[in-house]
Amino acid sequence: GIIALDNGMYKIWFARNYRAHRPNTVLLDNALATMGAGLPVAIAAKLIRPEQQVVAICGDGGFLMNSQEMETAVRLGLNLAVVVLRDDAYGMIKWKQEGMGFDDFGLDFGNPDFVRYAEAFGAKGVRVSEPGQLRDALRSCLDGGGVHLIEVPINYGEHGKAFDQEILDYLERLAEVYPTKSASELVRYALHRLVEYEKREEKAKLLEQEVARFEGLKTEPEICQAVRESLEKEVEKLRKEVQYLKQQLRKDRKSVGW
């Protein structure tokens, strides 16, 4: 399936923890962070990949900036699920204001009844009140056909604490490596390198597994054979990936009439 992320606190956790198994299945506007992009992107993804299940994941603020596109999705007869995370505020900006020492100002707002709001567009709406209900609600919406909206109340309070602590832990490690850098320099470096650091950690674990496997081999022919097998596996994975991309490209061209 494909997820299309709007912009908010939740995007950080999806971008860092959601495991994608195919290219172009996690769609997010990570550079300009355009609020309101989630639903239109999901509609476009469904038009291009009608055989794929597509879920738009939006905050209440971003969703309301382009919620009229619910009518577009209904009119086009799409099968689409829209998850709206409701905290009745611009939660990410609140977190940033707090982190900069500013007062909480101008970021709370009232929301419509999202279930009835979806129904007004001819879609179906459902509201979950406990975390355990979300999986079943999402499955029901994806299997039910048509356009569905799932309203999910959320409290970002713990998110800020967890993410801030993770950054502080990382800064402490950086300070040990770069003792002459100022705190502001370390913060800038940390924010740019945090994701890359995690990727390197994951790659290091894989390399450790490979090293452990090779250390058990005694003779040069055994090592050569093991290396050859590893390379053959990598080449086969690349061949499958190229084949998949070619198939998707042919589908894309066909869908737009090329």
Side-chain angles (χ1 to χ4, degrees):
I2 297 172
I3 62 171
L5 297 168
D6 211 290
N7 287 281
M9 297 289 279
Y10 52 88
K11 187 184 75 171
I12 296 174
W13 294 104
F14 271 96
R16 298 179 61 218
N17 298 300
Y18 182 86
R19 291 190 175 274
H21 299 281
R22 293 289 183 185
N24 300 320
T25 56
V26 179
L27 308 178
L28 71 160
D29 180 13
N30 200 40
L32 299 177
T34 306
M35 294 182 70
L39 178 55
V41 168
I43 291 173
K46 190 63 181 179
L47 290 172
I48 294 173
R49 295 271 195 277
E51 77 285 358
Q52 294 268 23
Q53 292 183 327
V54 178
V55 179
I57 302 168
C58 312
D60 46 2
F63 174 72
L64 286 175
M65 292 182 182
N66 250 336
S67 59
Q68 75 280 355
E69 298 302 340
M70 290 287 286
E71 186 279 332
T72 305
V74 171
R75 174 163 39 84
L76 294 175
L78 301 181
N79 298 324
L80 187 69
V82 183
V83 177
V84 178
L85 303 172
R86 178 179 60 78
D87 70 327
D88 301 318
Y90 295 111
M92 190 170 202
I93 308 305
K94 271 195 169 190
W95 171 60
K96 288 186 175 182
Q97 276 191 346
E98 182 181 358
M100 295 177 182
F102 295 124
D103 293 332
D104 182 356
F105 176 77
L107 298 175
D108 295 305
F109 54 83
N111 272 311
D113 182 327
F114 282 115
V115 173
R116 296 178 65 184
Y117 190 69
E119 293 170 351
F121 285 110
K124 297 178 181 178
V126 64
R127 181 181 297 107
V128 301
S129 57
E130 297 179 5
Q133 299 173 346
L134 179 57
R135 182 190 295 269
D136 291 339
L138 185 58
R139 174 52 55 200
S140 176
C141 291
L142 289 172
D143 292 343
V147 181
H148 293 256
L149 181 147
I150 305 173
E151 178 186 336
V152 183
I154 191 168
N155 184 341
Y156 285 125
E158 292 303 315
H159 162 95
K161 294 177 184 177
F163 193 61
D164 288 344
Q165 186 59 49
E166 194 166 337
I167 291 176
L168 288 173
D169 291 343
Y170 185 49
L171 286 174
E172 287 180 1
R173 295 199 295 269
L174 283 178
E176 294 175 358
V177 178
Y178 303 107
T180 60
K181 287 187 177 294
S182 67
S184 60
E185 288 175 322
L186 289 175
V187 168
R188 286 196 297 270
Y189 184 82
L191 292 175
H192 284 289
R193 299 294 294 174
L194 190 56
V195 173
E196 285 78 3
Y197 177 85
E198 290 184 344
K199 287 180 180 178
R200 289 201 304 273
E201 279 193 333
E202 185 174 349
K203 185 177 288 186
K205 290 178 182 177
L206 294 175
L207 289 173
E208 286 176 0
Q209 293 174 3
E210 286 294 302
V211 169
R213 189 164 70 89
F214 286 126
E215 284 179 344
L217 304 175
K218 303 300 181 183
T219 66
E220 186 174 336
E222 285 180 326
I223 295 175
C224 290
Q225 179 63 26
V227 171
R228 187 179 298 110
E229 290 174 357
S230 293
L231 289 174
E232 287 174 352
K233 288 179 181 178
E234 289 300 317
V235 169
E236 183 61 26
K237 282 165 57 177
L238 287 172
R239 284 175 178 165
K240 289 181 179 179
E241 189 64 33
V242 169
Q243 183 179 7
Y244 172 80
L245 291 174
K246 285 182 177 179
Q247 290 174 350
Q248 297 304 314
L249 181 59
R250 284 196 292 269
K251 288 182 181 178
D252 288 350
R253 286 175 173 171
K254 186 177 180 180
S255 68
V256 296
W258 288 1

